Amino acid sequence: MGFEGGDPVWFTATHPDGREVFQILVREKRSGVGESVRSLIALGEHRFDFTEPVVFPAHDGSTTLEQDFWKALAEDLRQRQGDWFDRLEFPRVRADTLGSYRPEGETDVAPYLDLTRLGSIEDFMDTRKGRSRRSIRRRVKRCAEAGEFSFQVLGADEIDRILSWIPRIVRQKRRKFSDDQSMDRFESFLTRLVCDGLPAGLPLCSSCSLDGRDISWSIDFELGGELFLYTSDFDPDFSIYGLGNVHTYHQLDWAISNRMRIVNFMWGDEAYKAAWTDGKVQTLHRIRFDNPSLLSRFRLFIDSAARRAQQA
């Protein structure tokens, strides 16, 4: 759909009957000798977590990809032999969205919590082990007793408030990753996601507030009955309250009350995720399409040879 100075753009796929069935954000990346290889990489690589396509509802209301979607996309790209990319990558795609397509291999896992048998947050708490249950309840109660506490999901009329969280989120990520270029891109992405996406209902933004002051915040996704916990942080002045656990508790309460099917904790098998999900994970795969044109094959060959030489 064209580029704007290398910023993320939408990549779309259309069904033969005319329906748009798939969208995903991609960005351009140059690599190889002299940065000659032109790649389109779905946001999901590196620190943007795993890739999850935005899938349009089918005629029956389903939001799952058709069985042969990835095979059809691969064939369509082979037939085009266009000169608009050398390689298209989807770094992390869940196994249950692959249909009949067989990717290169597993790349990671995404822990998740199944909500389908839970009628309330109390049902969830009853499934926790005694020590964990007592710890969560104690922190939630402590916040509630500290002042006027509230959890809220914010709408498009509160974009400025949400934008005020982003520098704080990015500041914490910089301390963790020490990668200014990546974090600059991450900050730009979050800003555009909120400004462009929130009016269309794409991100789900929530905060916990104490006496009118936001003390924790989260920018997530809600799609097809699934809540994806994307990126969050909290005010270090209130770290004694265990806000990470408190915010997650209220997110689960919201998800259950709004009849979500799944809460997805995104890429990575960190220990804290296992504590909330009981160790349930979805396998992630890498999907890669190479342009079959002679020029693209030449660029990719040179790139591969250069990488092997560097490793020798």
Side-chain angles (χ1 to χ4, degrees):
M1 294 186 65
F3 290 94
E4 297 176 6
D7 286 340
V9 295
W10 289 108
F11 177 87
T12 67
T14 305
H15 192 277
D17 66 11
R19 288 180 294 127
E20 283 191 339
V21 294
F22 171 96
Q23 283 194 354
I24 197 162
L25 280 168
V26 297
R27 71 178 182 84
E28 187 177 35
K29 179 182 178 180
R30 295 275 180 163
S31 63
V33 178
E35 296 189 340
S36 59
V37 174
R38 300 157 308 145
S39 297
L40 293 179
I41 302 181
L43 287 180
E45 55 86 35
H46 197 35
R47 294 179 189 134
F48 290 98
D49 266 52
F50 72 90
T51 300
E52 194 61 33
V54 177
V55 182
F56 286 75
H59 293 309
D60 61 359
S62 169
T63 56
T64 58
L65 287 167
E66 294 187 27
Q67 185 72 7
D68 291 329
F69 172 80
W70 292 105
K71 281 178 62 177
L73 179 61
E75 182 61 26
D76 187 65
L77 292 173
R78 275 193 292 268
Q79 291 177 358
R80 286 173 184 265
Q81 296 192 27
D83 193 38
W84 50 292
F85 70 91
D86 299 315
R87 173 168 289 164
L88 172 63
E89 292 187 54
F90 299 85
R92 300 183 183 97
V93 178
R94 292 183 296 177
D96 59 2
T97 68
L98 294 174
S100 59
Y101 184 79
R102 293 295 172 261
E104 296 179 17
E106 298 178 6
T107 59
D108 217 314
V109 296
Y112 72 97
L113 175 65
D114 186 346
L115 305 179
T116 54
R117 297 184 179 181
L118 302 178
S120 69
I121 189 63
E122 290 305 316
D123 291 343
F124 168 76
M125 292 300 293
D126 288 342
T127 67
R128 301 301 90 197
K129 295 180 180 179
R131 184 176 180 180
S132 175
R133 181 170 61 247
R134 289 191 295 272
S135 175
I136 295 171
R137 290 192 187 282
R138 182 171 62 251
R139 291 171 176 176
V140 170
K141 182 179 179 181
R142 190 176 183 185
C143 281
E145 294 175 346
E148 187 178 341
F149 179 87
S150 65
F151 170 83
Q152 54 270 313
V153 172
L154 283 67
D157 58 338
E158 296 177 284
I159 286 180
D160 288 343
R161 179 178 171 185
I162 299 167
L163 290 178
S164 71
W165 307 340
I166 293 178
R168 304 183 188 186
I169 293 174
V170 174
R171 191 179 306 124
Q172 295 299 323
K173 301 295 184 186
R174 286 186 194 277
R175 291 174 181 169
K176 182 177 181 180
F177 295 116
S178 301
D179 185 341
D180 288 342
Q181 184 176 4
S182 177
M183 289 302 100
D184 286 346
R185 191 166 69 246
F186 182 54
E187 184 167 9
S188 174
F189 170 65
L190 285 182
T191 300
R192 292 190 63 181
L193 175 65
V194 171
C195 292
D196 299 341
L198 197 60
L202 180 60
L204 184 86
C205 303
S206 63
S207 71
C208 288
S209 300
L210 186 63
D211 294 331
R213 175 180 174 179
D214 288 339
I215 57 175
S216 67
W217 37 82
S218 190
I219 299 176
D220 308 305
F221 299 94
E222 183 269 311
L223 178 68
E226 189 163 354
L227 177 62
F228 297 85
L229 302 184
Y230 181 50
T231 188
S232 61
D233 215 323
F234 59 86
D235 190 325
D237 291 345
F238 296 85
S239 59
I240 61 171
Y241 291 105
L243 291 174
N245 284 307
V246 173
H247 200 125
T248 301
Y249 170 90
H250 286 287
Q251 286 174 311
L252 298 187
D253 187 16
W254 181 92
I256 295 170
S257 299
N258 285 272
R259 301 185 181 279
M260 298 286 102
R261 297 179 297 104
I262 288 175
V263 174
N264 193 306
F265 283 75
M266 305 292 272
W267 160 53
D269 58 355
E270 293 90 339
Y272 82 89
K273 296 180 181 180
W276 290 97
T277 62
D278 299 325
K280 290 184 178 180
V281 298
Q282 295 169 323
T283 304
L284 308 177
H285 295 267
R286 173 179 293 274
I287 295 178
R288 186 179 73 188
F289 300 122
D290 289 347
N291 191 325
S293 72
L294 289 176
L295 182 57
S296 290
R297 288 164 62 186
F298 175 74
R299 289 190 182 115
L300 291 167
F301 172 79
I302 294 298
D303 179 39
S304 177
R307 292 177 186 275
R308 288 196 299 268
Q310 289 176 350
Q311 296 171 358

